[in-house]
Amino acid sequence: MSLTSSSSGALSGRTLTLYVDGYFVNQWDASCVVALEEKHLVYSTARGLLRDGGGVPPALAERTNIGRVPALQHGDLWLAESLAIIEYLEEAFPPPEYPPLLPANAHARAKARQWMSFVRSDLNALRAERSWWMCVYNESRPQPRPLSRDAERDSRELVALIERLCAAGELAPSQWNIAHADLALTLMRLAYTEYPLPDRARAFLDAALERPSLRAYIEHPRPPFPPPDKYAAG
Ligand SMILES: N[C@@H](CCC(=O)N[C@@H](CS)C(=O)NCC(=O)O)C(=O)O
């Protein structure tokens, strides 16, 4: 995967490698792929997490100190945590030379960061019960179990949030920033597991999924069979 070469700059000559889950079923990997694609950077992906029991390769765990994917290698920098990776890419490849990931306006940028933190640190029951792999192995997944009360509450909260942001014009395609990708990738967990979405949320998701940066991850080739269930959280 990837793309047009960008022009010069102190950091642009170094190789960028994103270590990802080998099944391409990790929402946080997806978010980093979106960032790299939106910036039109040349990069490659490498399997950093083998879900059939192998786990994160020891060399990667040692380099990042926390042994998680996604992890970015850029020259001699090794970095884990998707938020840190996105912020790093925005600083290392800044606008206007590279397309922005975050809004220029301080208030809008703060709000984007708010939503990016929210989907990572909250909605735990929803994320546990609607693993992201279900979205892309839609045909081979079992019938989703009914949501627990907590996951139902998370789902209602997420949908209501997106409806409100749509009504306020904050999720219009013209306002696109990487928080929109995070919200869409989270909403996919519901849309692909038969949760009925109201019109505005559905329209937001449909528009977001047309973006080539999201398609690059969603349509990336993956094994024909889903990951074993016990390794499939996330
Ligand atoms: N908060 C992290 C989440 C990363 C994470 O938890 N990754 C999981 C896969 S979803 C992982 O690498 N687990 C290591 C393992 O399973 O051995 C981020 O945003 O990047």
Side-chain angles (χ1 to χ4, degrees):
M1 85 166 65
S2 187
L3 307 164
T4 359
S5 178
S6 295
S7 57
S8 59
L11 297 168
S12 63
R14 300 182 203 160
T15 304
L16 281 162
T17 306
L18 186 70
Y19 291 82
V20 295
D21 174 84
Y23 284 83
F24 284 77
V25 291
N26 182 336
Q27 177 177 352
W28 318 120
D29 293 353
S31 195
C32 293
V33 165
V34 168
L36 289 158
E37 295 277 339
E38 291 286 342
K39 291 235 171 247
H40 296 172
L41 294 167
V42 177
Y43 69 98
S44 51
T45 53
R47 286 168 66 122
L49 175 63
L50 309 178
R51 285 185 178 261
D52 302 311
V56 172
L60 178 59
E62 193 184 318
R63 300 279 196 166
T64 59
N65 292 307
I66 56 173
R68 298 280 187 283
V69 293
L72 182 76
Q73 182 188 6
H74 187 211
D76 56 8
L77 172 72
W78 291 75
L79 195 60
E81 287 293 323
S82 57
L83 273 184
I85 291 169
I86 289 165
E87 295 276 3
Y88 172 72
L89 291 172
E90 184 75 330
E91 286 184 13
F93 304 97
E97 189 178 359
Y98 298 87
L101 300 176
L102 292 163
N105 174 277
H107 288 192
R109 196 162 63 246
K111 282 190 179 184
R113 288 181 171 130
Q114 173 180 314
W115 305 132
M116 293 165 78
S117 297
F118 177 68
V119 300
R120 284 168 176 77
S121 63
D122 211 302
L123 306 177
N124 295 324
L126 165 60
R127 290 192 282 119
E129 293 175 33
R130 293 295 183 261
S131 289
W132 202 83
W133 71 268
M134 295 176 175
C135 306
V136 283
Y137 283 102
N138 198 253
E139 279 164 24
S140 44
R141 66 161 171 72
Q143 189 70 12
R145 294 203 193 105
L147 292 167
S148 67
R149 188 188 299 201
D150 284 350
E152 188 62 60
R153 189 206 54 222
D154 286 350
S155 306
R156 278 200 305 273
E157 192 175 16
L158 175 67
V159 170
L161 166 67
I162 289 174
E163 286 279 296
R164 271 198 311 277
L165 293 177
C166 288
E170 292 186 38
L171 295 183
S174 60
Q175 307 295 313
W176 191 89
N177 65 67
I178 194 148
H180 295 205
D182 276 344
L183 289 169
L185 289 162
T186 310
L187 191 60
M188 281 177 73
R189 295 173 186 256
L190 293 177
Y192 285 78
T193 54
E194 296 159 28
Y195 190 95
L197 294 186
D199 290 348
R200 276 193 288 232
R202 166 60 62 190
F204 160 69
L205 183 61
D206 289 347
L209 295 185
E210 280 175 20
R211 238 173 140 89
S213 57
L214 275 96
R215 300 235 66 83
Y217 189 83
I218 293 167
E219 292 172 0
H220 191 279
R222 44 179 64 83
F225 44 87
D229 207 33
K230 63 181 174 167
Y231 301 116

